[in-house]
Amino acid sequence: MIDISETEDFDNGVAYDPFDTAPVRLTVDLGALSENWRDMARRSGGARTAAVVKADAYGLGLEDCGTALYEAGARDFFVAVPQEGATLRTYAPDARIYVLSGIWPGQEDFFFDHDLVPVLASEEQLAFWMSVIADRDDHPCALHVDTGFNRLGLPLEDALALADDVSRPASFSPVLVMSHLHSGDNPSSPLSRVQLEAFQQIAEAFEGIEASLSASAGIFLGSEYHFDLTRPGIAVYGGEAVNGMQPLKPVAKAEARIVQIREAAAGSTVSYGATHQLSRNSRLAVVSAGYADGYLRSLSGSGVPLRAGGTSGAFGFVGNTRVPVLGRVTMDMVIFDITDVPEGDVRVGDYIELFGPNIPLDEAARAGGTIGYELLTSLGLRHERRYIDAND
């Protein structure tokens, strides 16, 4: 875990923590992250439970989150690209690391050197892998089979034919067959069972090889969806895995500093385009966050055509009060209406929570017409980060 180092103020000799003065900051609760993973492991029953840490651990930091999940007991990990796998290998030395994008010519040495497992998702990747292992020692791989998503994966018929192909090289030794549910977040969808029945054919055809179908949402569908290995992602990071279901513990809290509090008269307008006109004399908090920090422009209080007919915009939290965004979010600034916050409860320099324990991640995301995944993975580089563990 990275410790926040104190910085010396050479004017007066006083050390300060840059987190305390950052324009935007992010607190990541590694204790909650670990407990969420253990929760999903319990829900997975007899299946082993992996951890999905692609996209820099959903924007929260691969090094720290990967380490915490490894220490919590995860020994199977999924990343999107091989570079993520190589980074993770430092912190998960004996883990099995699957690369969801598979392997391409020129990457062979990288995969072998870092002991990464390619997930083969097309005939082209499969043919290339066959040529690689013909010239090298055996190396594990995984097979991704399409059961109805029409995204990645071998067609079902081709995968079944491969299972019966007695001429395939003896050195071709997949350690996992997998697929992915497209509507697992909707428990009432009959299509998940259609995919389940297709995947059961694959699991039977590749008898003796571990099988994996369920990410976070699929785990909640019940034990018949669990097979040998589950792959929770968003649920571990505190997001909603199933529509309408209460998420697990919040993991991330994003905050922005108030740089100015200003009085504004009824009838005046707020932010670009004058899209919001004040109906009362108001107190406005200008905070140092914007779409350059991943606080999406679609979270604006008004004036966003792409969200026409949707919600009225996002809320923040300060002084024990929910406060709405007014007008458009800009690149580096957003304005909140703090008129209803008692004056003694908020001042310049305080922080407004953008999402976290008081403004749930997915509530904030829905206000911007999107999902928690996008809000997390859009976090900008300007956030000063603090990682806390279960003992902090």
Side-chain angles (χ1 to χ4, degrees), residues 70-95:
Y70 180 82
E71 291 176 350
R75 290 297 180 270
D76 298 88
F77 290 85
F78 286 83
V79 297
V81 295
Q83 291 80 5
E84 292 175 336
T87 299
L88 178 63
R89 175 59 68 201
T90 303
Y91 309 102
D94 61 344

Side-chain angles (χ1 to χ4, degrees), residues 233-251:
I234 190 63
V236 174
Y237 300 96
E240 290 182 10
V242 177
N243 297 336
M245 180 179 288
Q246 182 72 22
L248 304 183
K249 293 183 176 180
V251 172

Side-chain angles (χ1 to χ4, degrees), residues 296 298-299 307 362 364-375:
L296 307 175
S298 58
L299 293 164
R307 209 188 66 230
D362 290 277
R366 279 191 289 271
T370 186
I371 56 177
Y373 298 77
E374 184 178 19
L375 210 54

Side-chain angles (χ1 to χ4, degrees), residues 108-123:
E108 308 95 296
D109 289 340
F110 196 89
F111 271 78
F112 278 75
D113 290 346
H114 296 285
D115 192 19
L116 306 177
V117 180
V119 178
L120 309 177
S122 68
E123 293 289 353

Side-chain angles (χ1 to χ4, degrees), residues 1-7 16-19 26 28 30 63-64 67 91 384-389 392:
M1 186 175 69
I2 297 176
D3 292 327
I4 299 294
S5 59
E6 291 186 335
T7 302
Y16 71 93
D17 185 339
F19 187 83
L26 181 73
V28 180
L30 297 176
E63 177 180 343
D64 292 275
T67 299
Y91 309 102
E384 188 73 32
R385 296 178 178 224
R386 170 172 285 164
Y387 294 89
I388 58 176
D389 61 30
D392 289 342

Side-chain angles (χ1 to χ4, degrees), residues 313-325:
F315 284 79
F317 189 84
V318 67
N320 292 315
T321 306
R322 289 168 57 90
V323 294
V325 172

